[in-house]
Amino acid sequence: MDPAPLRVAIVQARPVVDDLSACLDRLESLAKSAADTGARLACFGETWLPGYPIWLDICSDVGLWDHKPTQKVYRRLRANSVVVPGPVTERLSAIAAAHSMVMVVGVHEKVEVGPGHGTLFNTLLTFDADGRLCNHHRKLVPTYTEKLVWGGGDGDGLGAVSTACGRIGGLVCWEHWMPLARQAMHESAEQIHVAAWPTCKEMHQVASRHYAFEGRCFVLAAGSLMCAEDLPVELETPKGVRSEPSQLVMRGGSAIIAPDGRYLAGPVYDEEMILNADIDLGEIDSLSLTMDTTGHYARPDLFGFTVNRSTRKPGT
């Protein structure tokens, strides 16, 4: 018997930047809106709690040594980051359970005690419909300017997990151009993949559609919105950027993609919305006839592949 259609959702919205409490309140409201559409799975974009640091690519002089304005911004970011597990994850668990909805959320993660207590991580958290935190993935390699604010992750959460909506996994941003990270995810029998981006530009769309086709899975490419007025007041910007506070510096671009690479919804730019699609997990079986990167399209006699899934201590 074919499985019943499953409604999934991407929450494309503007976070309350660098205000964790207010951002959590907004997430709770948006999660309810997603649940009200009938969604059984809802996801948010990269480091949505409490906002992607787009200032790294827009503002001037952030990479200068001993730059006091950047230090002030980083201090505020750390103060509004998430301890895993901790009070914030408990609240996120309660939100997921209240709506019987699987929820995938990008967060800035900090460690309060022990090794790495001065480092932030770009983290993707997956909560099952009963509220259980079932996966904790730290972005493996921060990209370019991101290395100023995040440390590297590990293989502990690199794979799909069983949930009320099937086997769900996720990668963050440019991890989608790491072939071996993709293979590790494919081998975990992923059915739904959350591709967390800050904003889904053209090449991000290409990567997301390629991932769906290669992995024979559904992809939720989740982007966010951010305005010029969300940029830190301490940092300088190119002339004209702040002249229109409502000008978007992150434009969304969220899309829901089928296992053959076609769009089921989106991409949508420049507006807040709950992007929905009804997906048929049985489609994966149909399309696996022609492509299974871990089975009949693999050559284990030629290629060897292993993953170190231990948790890496920062600095090692």
Side-chain angles (χ1 to χ4, degrees):
M1 180 182 296
D2 290 337
L6 175 71
R7 177 157 292 189
V8 297
I10 299 171
V11 179
Q12 178 167 290
R14 181 182 171 193
V16 184
V17 175
D18 285 350
D19 187 335
L20 183 57
S21 178
C23 202
L24 268 171
D25 290 343
R26 178 134 221 262
L27 183 146
E28 184 167 17
S29 175
L30 290 166
K32 180 182 184 304
S33 296
D36 287 346
T37 69
R40 294 180 55 203
L41 163 65
C43 64
F44 294 75
E46 181 176 359
T47 58
W48 199 87
L49 280 175
Y52 181 81
I54 192 64
W55 47 269
L56 288 166
D57 296 326
I58 294 177
C59 298
S60 306
D61 299 335
V62 296
L64 292 178
W65 179 258
D66 202 28
H67 190 240
K68 301 303 181 186
T70 305
Q71 291 175 357
K72 185 175 181 180
V73 172
Y74 183 73
R75 176 175 176 172
R76 184 168 61 242
L77 179 59
R78 274 193 56 81
N80 285 278
S81 294
V82 178
V83 176
V84 183
V88 173
T89 59
E90 289 176 3
R91 184 169 175 190
L92 292 171
S93 293
I95 293 169
H99 301 295
S100 298
M101 183 172 68
V102 177
M103 199 163 67
V104 183
V105 184
V107 306
H108 291 271
E109 180 192 354
K110 65 181 177 182
V111 177
E112 287 192 325
V113 178
H117 60 269
T119 300
L120 293 180
F121 298 95
N122 180 333
T123 296
L124 201 61
L125 301 176
T126 302
F127 298 87
D128 206 347
D130 61 2
R132 178 176 58 92
L133 175 59
C134 54
N135 202 26
H136 174 194
H137 169 60
R138 289 173 171 173
K139 185 176 182 179
L140 300 177
V141 182
T143 301
Y144 196 47
T145 53
E146 293 176 350
K147 291 178 174 67
L148 284 171
V149 295
W150 294 318
D154 52 54
D156 181 45
L158 192 63
V161 293
S162 295
T163 74
C165 294
R167 291 189 59 78
I168 296 176
L171 292 175
V172 183
C173 203
W174 279 33
E175 287 184 315
H176 292 88
W177 284 297
M178 297 177 69
L180 300 184
R182 295 201 311 268
Q183 185 65 17
M185 298 300 297
H186 299 334
E187 291 194 0
S188 68
E190 200 174 25
Q191 293 176 294
I192 301 172
H193 176 80
V194 175
W197 305 94
T199 185
C200 296
K201 302 176 184 179
E202 180 183 3
M203 283 305 298
H204 302 163
Q205 298 288 338
V206 171
S208 299
R209 296 182 70 187
H210 173 268
Y211 190 100
F213 187 93
E214 178 182 82
R216 287 301 193 243
C217 61
F218 291 90
V219 170
L220 278 61
S224 302
L225 303 176
M226 200 171 289
C227 295
E229 64 184 353
D230 296 323
L231 296 171
V233 296
E234 296 88 351
L235 301 178
E236 295 183 8
T237 59
K239 186 177 180 180
V241 169
R242 297 187 195 269
S243 60
E244 296 182 33
S246 62
Q247 173 189 349
L248 288 172
V249 294
M250 285 170 42
R251 299 182 51 220
S254 298
I256 300 173
I257 303 161
D260 62 357
R262 76 185 189 280
Y263 285 118
L264 298 175
V268 176
Y269 292 92
D270 302 336
E271 63 176 301
E272 288 202 348
M273 69 177 307
I274 308 294
L275 186 67
N276 288 112
D278 293 322
I279 66 175
D280 173 11
L281 294 180
E283 188 174 342
I284 294 171
D285 290 333
S286 299
L287 293 170
S288 293
L289 174 67
T290 51
M291 170 76 82
D292 177 7
T293 59
T294 68
H296 61 75
Y297 230 80
R299 287 294 304 271
D301 56 320
L302 299 180
F303 306 111
F305 181 66
T306 60
V307 180
N308 177 3
R309 297 196 179 277
S310 62
T311 300
R312 189 182 81 176
K313 294 182 179 179
T316 63

